[in-house]
Amino acid sequence: MAEKQYSLLVPLYILALYWVISALIVLLMGIKMSLPLPAATQEDNASSNFGSVFSFPGFLIVVGALCANRQFGAALAFGSTRRGFWLGTMLGFLETSLATGLFTIVALACEMLSHHWWFGVHAFDVSILGSGNYGIAFLVVFGMSMMSLLAGATFGTIFRSFGQMALTWSLIATAVVLLALFAVFIWKSDPVIRFFTPWGSWTLIAGTGLLSLVLAIVGYFVNQRATI
């Protein structure tokens, strides 16, 4: 929380900019189709627009890495333990994720109350956020925020603790695991799709929650056993 501009405000700026871009796209489409957009076009936009979830993770990964590195030396110099530093960092990540999730709920409420801003903008009332379900919208964005922050913090901690080579090998190992999972998905795509389709957005919620837990555990033990 030492730099609230990055931990709280910029993720909200990114989501606001995402909404502006979504609105501009709809306005440009309206030049040919007229406004509000036809119902079928609005439904297509709502089902294919993933910007509300994927517009901010890259920034938050960087924030997570900076949080795990920039204040570590100062925290220990002022008497913090490694465990205290990591738990405090987790509390900061929770605040950032809560703020991002709450902003999403407010934006969704405004979108619903204004009937999609009167001319058919589907920025937050989209299928990946539960098609207007406030609880799912919050959990999806909260989970994605926590996962992004923890990913940055975990790999940042590996770099700080064990150096560039350890970071490189950990990234390679992560890429291999992801590619293996993707290969399994391609091999068994039909049964996998049939299994997860009824879950909808809950698949993303469960996935980000599980990955966040794994990243938090790995990051904690790396932080505890670091030589630096």
Side-chain angles (χ1 to χ4, degrees), residues 60-157:
L60 291 182
I61 289 173
V62 175
V63 171
L66 292 175
C67 288
N69 286 282
R70 292 178 65 181
Q71 287 85 24
F72 179 75
L76 265 62
F78 282 104
S80 175
T81 62
R82 293 170 185 266
R83 179 174 178 272
F85 171 78
W86 189 253
L87 291 176
T89 302
M90 293 303 101
L91 289 176
F93 289 173
L94 283 172
E95 291 186 19
T96 298
S97 301
L98 284 171
T100 309
L102 290 174
F103 178 88
T104 300
I105 290 179
V106 172
L108 175 59
C110 292
E111 191 169 297
M112 299 290 285
L113 291 173
S114 62
H115 300 287
H116 306 102
W117 301 104
W118 301 284
F119 54 91
V121 178
H122 283 260
F124 295 95
D125 179 17
V126 291
S127 59
I128 199 169
L129 294 182
S131 300
N133 187 309
Y134 292 99
I136 290 178
F138 174 82
L139 290 173
V140 168
V141 172
F142 176 85
M144 185 63 71
S145 299
M146 283 297 296
M147 186 188 70
S148 302
L149 289 163
L150 285 164
T154 299
F155 288 111
T157 301

